[in-house]
Amino acid sequence: MRKVPFVLLVLSLFALLTTPATAAATLPGGKTNFVVALGSFKAGTERDNWVRLGDYTFSTTGTVTARTYLWWQRHPAARQSTGTTPNGDCSTNAQAVGQTVVRACPVQTAGGFLRAPDETKTGTFSVSGTKLHITWRTDQTWSEQWAITARADNKLVRLDQTFNSLATAGYAYGSNASLNTGRSMQTVRDYPGTLMLDKEEWAHDKTGHLENHPFEIGKYRTCTTTTWCLTYLLTNPKEACAEKPSCIGTGGGSAINDRSIQNYIQRIASGDRRDTWWSWCTCLTRNPDGTDKEKCYTGNSHVKPMLQILDDDGEFHGWVGVEASFYPRNDSAVPRSHDMLAAFRISDFR
């Protein structure tokens, strides 16, 4: 065996002892776990729009991992039932106009949201002041830039998208709370703060924008038996349902003037941040003459998967979410312009 000269051995050991350790990467706002909603929306297109919902986990090694659900017009996913029907103290089996609670219908969500995320990807990131840059290791060039804003108490961080090579809309919030925990529906219902809705959307070949829209969580009813569910009948919404023929009583029928919207929010699992929001115009379950067609709407309802925003203490501060409402018929006779897609946030920190 060849012996290593003593002098070289000493020099090698000295080099090992004196080599500076690799500096830890700066986390965005000092936070590890982020919930993220993204969307790619282009007016005049019917096959290329998509939304993603998931989480980003940042490491002091300078790497980031994303786990996301993808809903894409090229592969429209059918709605699926969560298996939950709200009980009698927060819903009704009645179908008459003027009811004050929602109907007892099985809650729907976007197809695939009951299972684990579809995608996992890794990348590298860097933080410079209040700017976050991410480069993903994917087949196509994909980079993101976000502006970092910390809440006054530094327990919650908001990311505002400034550039994304693929997405046109994005919302993200981060803290050091575990991604494997969420708040109960009772806690959500009792939240004392003011939640506001902002969103970017695509529908009927057009893009749209909404901001500073009140989200009155305190008006939702708590279901005492199905405790993971909340319901709310919005009786006079700003979003008019009245343009629907069955809402205004065309075809010789008497006007029923029902503009109400059925709203359901449900917790998907106790071991993570998943919730879902389902809504539809009550009048869509009626014929133009006002007669009942069905109790629970089976058509193009709004399904909106969401992830809870939690601060370092695990306190609830709203959601990031997406709408992935694909027209039920998936054939060449039906244009994808009937789809409804959106990326949004509902939060007190905007």
Side-chain angles (χ1 to χ4, degrees), residues 271-289:
D272 55 46
R273 307 275 191 96
R274 283 177 297 165
D275 292 338
T276 196
W277 175 19
W278 182 44
S279 62
W280 41 276
C281 295
T282 307
C283 62
L284 295 175
T285 62
R286 298 193 177 96
N287 296 306
D289 63 359

Side-chain angles (χ1 to χ4, degrees), residues 4-27:
V4 179
F6 178 76
V7 174
L8 292 179
L9 182 60
V10 171
L11 290 175
S12 298
L13 291 173
F14 179 78
L16 288 173
L17 293 173
T18 57
T19 300
T22 302
T26 300
L27 298 175

Side-chain angles (χ1 to χ4, degrees), residues 269-323:
S270 60
D272 55 46
R273 307 275 191 96
R274 283 177 297 165
D275 292 338
T276 196
W277 175 19
W278 182 44
S279 62
W280 41 276
C281 295
T282 307
C283 62
L284 295 175
T285 62
R286 298 193 177 96
N287 296 306
D289 63 359
T291 59
D292 288 330
K293 179 170 57 177
E294 56 188 357
K295 185 182 83 170
C296 302
Y297 184 47
T298 57
N300 201 21
S301 61
H302 298 272
V303 283
K304 304 169 186 175
M306 305 189 295
L307 296 175
Q308 292 184 6
I309 300 168
L310 303 183
D311 65 18
D312 284 347
D313 295 331
E315 296 299 319
F316 173 81
H317 291 280
W319 297 274
V320 296
V322 298
E323 178 167 5

Side-chain angles (χ1 to χ4, degrees), residues 3-327:
K3 295 183 179 179
V4 179
F6 178 76
V7 174
L8 292 179
L9 182 60
V10 171
L11 290 175
S12 298
L13 291 173
F14 179 78
L16 288 173
L17 293 173
T18 57
T19 300
T22 302
T26 300
L27 298 175
K31 309 305 179 187
T32 298
N33 299 319
F34 286 74
V35 288
V36 183
L38 298 172
S40 178
F41 309 131
K42 297 177 182 178
T45 64
E46 292 186 4
R47 296 286 171 181
D48 295 331
N49 300 287
W50 55 258
V51 291
R52 280 179 165 91
L53 179 68
D55 56 67
Y56 291 178
T57 302
F58 294 87
S59 168
T60 55
T61 62
T63 60
V64 55
T65 300
R67 300 181 310 145
T68 52
Y69 296 89
L70 168 63
W71 291 280
W72 194 7
Q73 282 186 306
R74 294 186 185 181
H75 306 287
R79 293 161 181 78
Q80 67 179 125
S81 174
T82 65
T84 295
T85 300
N87 61 288
D89 63 341
C90 61
S91 68
T92 179
N93 283 313
Q95 295 174 232
V97 176
Q99 291 295 324
T100 59
V101 293
V102 305
R103 296 182 183 179
C105 295
V107 177
Q108 304 291 300
T109 191
F113 194 50
L114 301 186
R115 61 173 184 258
D118 307 289
E119 306 173 312
T120 299
K121 62 179 179 288
T122 60
T124 59
F125 75 93
S126 62
V127 174
S128 177
T130 59
K131 297 179 180 179
L132 167 65
H133 179 84
I134 301 172
T135 300
W136 297 109
R137 300 185 183 108
T138 56
D139 292 337
Q140 57 189 147
T141 301
W142 190 350
S143 63
E144 302 175 6
Q145 294 179 17
W146 304 78
I148 305 168
T149 301
R151 203 175 62 185
D153 61 7
N154 203 36
K155 293 183 178 181
L156 184 64
V157 165
R158 187 185 75 237
L159 299 182
D160 297 312
Q161 182 173 277
T162 58
F163 172 79
N164 194 307
S165 53
L166 295 184
T168 61
Y171 303 100
Y173 289 84
S175 71
N176 291 318
S178 171
L179 293 168
N180 296 322
T181 188
R183 305 302 292 170
S184 69
M185 286 294 97
Q186 182 66 59
T187 300
V188 169
R189 162 62 180 76
D190 293 341
Y191 180 67
T194 301
L195 298 175
M196 304 292 284
L197 167 66
D198 302 310
K199 71 175 178 178
E200 301 288 341
E201 63 182 353
W202 183 97
H204 306 297
D205 295 337
K206 297 179 181 179
T207 59
H209 174 76
L210 178 69
E211 63 181 17
N212 300 325
H213 186 79
F215 191 86
E216 299 174 298
I217 191 64
K219 292 186 176 181
Y220 278 73
R221 291 175 181 256
T222 305
C223 303
T224 57
T225 302
T226 46
T227 55
W228 49 88
C229 190
L230 302 174
T231 65
Y232 174 40
L233 184 71
L234 180 58
T235 55
N236 190 27
K238 293 182 179 179
E239 304 90 349
C241 292
E243 73 275 7
K244 312 294 184 183
S246 51
C247 295
I248 58 178
T250 60
S254 60
I256 58 176
N257 193 29
D258 185 357
R259 301 175 61 194
S260 65
I261 298 178
Q262 310 274 330
N263 286 278
Y264 309 74
I265 295 178
Q266 183 194 327
R267 189 176 186 181
I268 296 298
S270 60
D272 55 46
R273 307 275 191 96
R274 283 177 297 165
D275 292 338
T276 196
W277 175 19
W278 182 44
S279 62
W280 41 276
C281 295
T282 307
C283 62
L284 295 175
T285 62
R286 298 193 177 96
N287 296 306
D289 63 359
T291 59
D292 288 330
K293 179 170 57 177
E294 56 188 357
K295 185 182 83 170
C296 302
Y297 184 47
T298 57
N300 201 21
S301 61
H302 298 272
V303 283
K304 304 169 186 175
M306 305 189 295
L307 296 175
Q308 292 184 6
I309 300 168
L310 303 183
D311 65 18
D312 284 347
D313 295 331
E315 296 299 319
F316 173 81
H317 291 280
W319 297 274
V320 296
V322 298
E323 178 167 5
S325 305
F326 297 105
Y327 195 73

